[in-house]
Amino acid sequence: MIDSTTHLPIPEDGPYTPESGALAYAAEHIPGALFADLLTDFADPSDPQPWTAADHQRFAAAAGALGIGDGATVVIYSQHDVFWATRLWWQLRLEGFDDAVVLDGGLPAWKNAGGELTDAVSTPTPRAFVGDRRPGLIRSTAQVAAALDDPGVLLVNVLDEPTYRGEVNTYARNGHIPGSINFPVAGLLDPETGTLRPVEELRVEFERAGLLDDGRTVVTYCGGGIAATGVAWALALAGRDDVGVYDGSLTAWTADPELPLVTGSSPR
């Protein structure tokens, strides 16, 4: 069991500053759970953007230190936003590890079900993490830019509609990547329980949006590469496990004034 909690407080004015969930984990967690710090151990320390995916060697060392490796089944949860759990799920798949699942609803669902909690920190049993990176599951800014005119690539912006349309001042510039459709990640969840809506319901919406069309490559993006993994996770549950994630997402894209942005409604 892995707790991947990260906090992202959004200030009224100024940039957000992500925070580790280590203190929240220390205060309470599911018995036996270990903590994975997405901001440090599993991130690229040389990249100015927080939680950029680490290279394979760094990731393998961090995962192995937590006991993730051959013979282990990994259950990942977050103490609030499920998409921190899907982020680690995606990173594990990116590095060639498939025996991982997300605890639907995270810690709130665990509490609602009467699950036990503890503040006792468990000691991991290290394992050798062996896997090969799957480059098709990640995209760089250069790769996304090169595919703008490729009809075989479907870019999917998973943010809310106002942000997609460019009506919200969140990033260095407003709008969405040309040609990308809008499929808000928040719509994946039941608003009352925070759990994933039935996969059969979501499959209908995925098909309507063209996300299950095997003739095109699907690449999701968001603000910083977290929420985008939520749609990739749900699509995998619906049967499509080859979705790429633009890791830098709008934080990286809008930082380059030469890269195009458009505003307005989705082209679909």
Side-chain angles (χ1 to χ4, degrees), residues 173-200:
R173 295 180 292 137
N174 305 323
H176 57 269
I177 299 173
S180 60
I181 67 168
N182 187 214
F183 194 96
V185 69
L188 298 175
L189 306 179
D190 183 316
E192 294 185 2
T193 66
T195 57
L196 191 70
R197 291 169 49 207
V199 173
E200 289 305 317

Side-chain angles (χ1 to χ4, degrees), residues 101-192:
V101 296
V102 172
L103 179 61
D104 193 13
L107 195 65
W110 177 266
K111 290 180 178 180
N112 289 338
E116 295 183 13
L117 295 170
T118 184
D119 61 0
V121 176
S122 298
T123 301
T125 301
R127 296 175 186 251
F129 182 93
V130 179
D132 295 317
R133 172 167 279 210
R134 296 164 168 147
L137 298 185
I138 189 170
R139 294 293 189 282
S140 66
T141 298
Q143 288 172 317
V144 172
L148 288 184
D149 297 322
D150 186 346
V153 175
L154 178 61
L155 284 174
V156 183
N157 179 308
V158 310
L159 300 173
D160 60 278
E161 290 187 20
T163 301
Y164 171 83
R165 292 194 298 262
E167 299 168 0
V168 178
N169 298 320
T170 304
Y171 306 99
R173 295 180 292 137
N174 305 323
H176 57 269
I177 299 173
S180 60
I181 67 168
N182 187 214
F183 194 96
V185 69
L188 298 175
L189 306 179
D190 183 316
E192 294 185 2

Side-chain angles (χ1 to χ4, degrees), residues 15-238:
Y16 58 74
T17 302
E19 300 172 357
S20 169
L23 292 179
Y25 163 80
E28 63 174 14
H29 52 267
I30 296 174
L34 301 166
F35 180 68
D37 198 327
L38 303 187
L39 286 170
T40 56
D41 300 337
F42 291 89
D44 180 354
S46 67
D47 197 293
Q49 182 172 326
W51 61 72
T52 295
D55 62 30
H56 181 77
Q57 184 175 6
R58 181 180 179 86
F59 183 91
L66 288 178
I68 300 174
D70 288 349
T73 297
V74 181
V75 179
I76 313 163
Y77 74 91
S78 173
Q79 298 204 13
H80 48 88
D81 192 333
V82 68
F83 304 125
W84 296 109
T86 64
R87 172 68 183 190
L88 182 57
W89 168 89
W90 169 74
Q91 284 190 266
L92 284 165
R93 290 203 66 248
L94 172 66
E95 305 305 341
F97 186 87
D98 291 326
D99 203 359
V101 296
V102 172
L103 179 61
D104 193 13
L107 195 65
W110 177 266
K111 290 180 178 180
N112 289 338
E116 295 183 13
L117 295 170
T118 184
D119 61 0
V121 176
S122 298
T123 301
T125 301
R127 296 175 186 251
F129 182 93
V130 179
D132 295 317
R133 172 167 279 210
R134 296 164 168 147
L137 298 185
I138 189 170
R139 294 293 189 282
S140 66
T141 298
Q143 288 172 317
V144 172
L148 288 184
D149 297 322
D150 186 346
V153 175
L154 178 61
L155 284 174
V156 183
N157 179 308
V158 310
L159 300 173
D160 60 278
E161 290 187 20
T163 301
Y164 171 83
R165 292 194 298 262
E167 299 168 0
V168 178
N169 298 320
T170 304
Y171 306 99
R173 295 180 292 137
N174 305 323
H176 57 269
I177 299 173
S180 60
I181 67 168
N182 187 214
F183 194 96
V185 69
L188 298 175
L189 306 179
D190 183 316
E192 294 185 2
T193 66
T195 57
L196 191 70
R197 291 169 49 207
V199 173
E200 289 305 317
E201 287 184 9
L202 294 175
R203 184 177 286 112
V204 172
E205 296 179 15
F206 290 150
E207 289 177 346
R208 186 181 302 127
L211 302 184
L212 297 181
D213 178 4
D214 290 335
R216 289 189 290 180
T217 298
V218 173
V219 177
T220 61
Y221 73 96
C222 54
I226 305 301
T229 66
V231 170
W233 167 61
L235 279 167
L237 293 175

